[in-house]
Amino acid sequence: MFDLVIKNGKVVTADRVFAASVCVKAGKIAAIVEPGTDVQADKTIDAQDNYVFPGAIDSHAHLNDPGYNWREDYSHGTAAAGVGGFTTIVDMPLQNEPALTDGQIFDNKLAHVSPNAYVDYCFWGGLVDYNLGTLHELDDKGCVAFKSFIGPVSPDYVSLSIGQAKEALEILKSAGARAGFHCEDYSIIKWEEARAKRKEKNDWRDFLDSRPVIAELIATQNIISLAKELDAKVHICHVSHPQVAQVIREAQLDGVDVTAETCGHYLAFSDEDVIKNGSLFKCAPPLREAAAIEGMWEYVNNGTLSCIGSDHSPCELSEKSEEAHGIFGAWGGISGIQNTMQVVFSEGVAKRGYCPTILARSLSEGPAKAFGIYGKKGAIEVGFDADIVILDPKREWEITPESLYYVNQISAFVGLKGVGLPVCTLVRGQVVAEDGKLVGRKGFGEFVKKIK
């Protein structure tokens, strides 16, 4: 006797799509059986010939909790995640007060957020110049990776030099831990910003030009060189351009343990959207030329970019004001945790004809393996948590402010139309969202440690 059976669906794994019924017991996937098999269960969900995906894992989310809650918090951010098909989020250590840089801060954050999470969550540990002595402590607490910046960062955090990154990687190697890097060269960006600000008036092309692809490329190459030299594990965050992805691919083929992610906005939008619409489309690295989008999809498809994260980086509308803050001072970040899965399906599967397995690889299996939680999360396999998303490939949608569960209902994705929508999200066998509505229980989400 099972607790739940999901029948009449097309199960999507990393390498195939097939008809099957998924049986759940005690929050785990207990059996995967052929259609029509007589199964006894307390509850049945009819997937109605829709796709049955493994729950998506957001490798890159800024939920800003505790401390920056005018931008986002766990109750709103994890609610939005669940509605959008993310069953686990990996929360960033910055835009927290204080940043998550030692064991006591870790304990305080966990106690603060745990009553408010609708979906499961992991923590990125902080990696700054003042916490190299607490990295082992954070690893022991269960942080799945450690986040650093090689380029400029918001005032609440600290960038690392390449020398400091080298020492950090030596420490993390001894713990078997992975370091993630925001790869943009600090000196290029600061110099190009200063050059631009000498002009009488700035426009959005000035912002885009201040963060050129070469800045991302140089920083990525430097981190890969360190990883190769030290035999360390690294993760390249939010890759924005095929040139950068190619360098990562070559390193992977050379045996370097480097994983990488991109984001929904780099797979759907271009620099022209920034020039046309302004600060709502401002992010770092910035959106690139339209031709880059197609190349990025190919690197997702071939597995170079094994994760698609949201880089959900919310703010109040006033923080996006060009009048108040100027082009360079306006907040850079795109809110996308609720919409990434639908956008990736619509742009990748419906529009470009990729097999739905691309989502299972890049939204589930890839991030689970990169962050050390595969076996518990990341696949529809017996013994894994029953994190499941039923997606209707024919459901047309338009993203509206009113549909968003964020603290601030603003996003570059508002107004976008597409097809293919998550219609049911389950976390450990419990329905947390249905037909765009939150139905789960606050506090149901659990903290997930890296599997050692």
Side-chain angles (χ1 to χ4, degrees), residues 66-123:
Y68 286 70
N69 299 132
W70 71 90
R71 289 177 178 164
E72 195 63 279
D73 59 33
Y74 256 65
S75 59
H76 288 81
T78 61
V83 170
F86 280 123
T87 54
T88 305
I89 62 106
V90 192
D91 186 24
M92 282 288 172
L94 63 155
Q95 282 110 54
N96 278 212
E97 188 55 52
L100 204 169
T101 54
D102 66 35
Q104 185 59 57
I105 296 169
F106 178 104
D107 291 342
N108 293 342
K109 178 181 171 80
L110 185 59
H112 177 80
V113 304
S114 62
N116 300 315
Y118 287 95
V119 303
D120 289 353
Y121 53 98
C122 309
F123 291 161

Side-chain angles (χ1 to χ4, degrees), residues 1 34 41 51 78 99 119-120 122 127 133 146 148 158 160 178 239-240 270 322 344 348 357 362 395 421 435 439 448:
M1 185 74 170
E34 298 223 351
Y51 289 122
T78 61
V119 303
D120 289 353
C122 309
L127 176 50
F146 294 83
S148 178
V158 182
L160 292 188
R178 190 175 299 277
V239 174
S240 74
S270 76
E322 296 169 37
V344 170
T357 55
S362 60
R395 182 78 65 93
L421 190 67
D435 290 321
V439 298
V448 180

Side-chain angles (χ1 to χ4, degrees), residues 124 201 404 416:
W124 281 87
K201 183 172 170 44
L404 300 176
L416 192 67

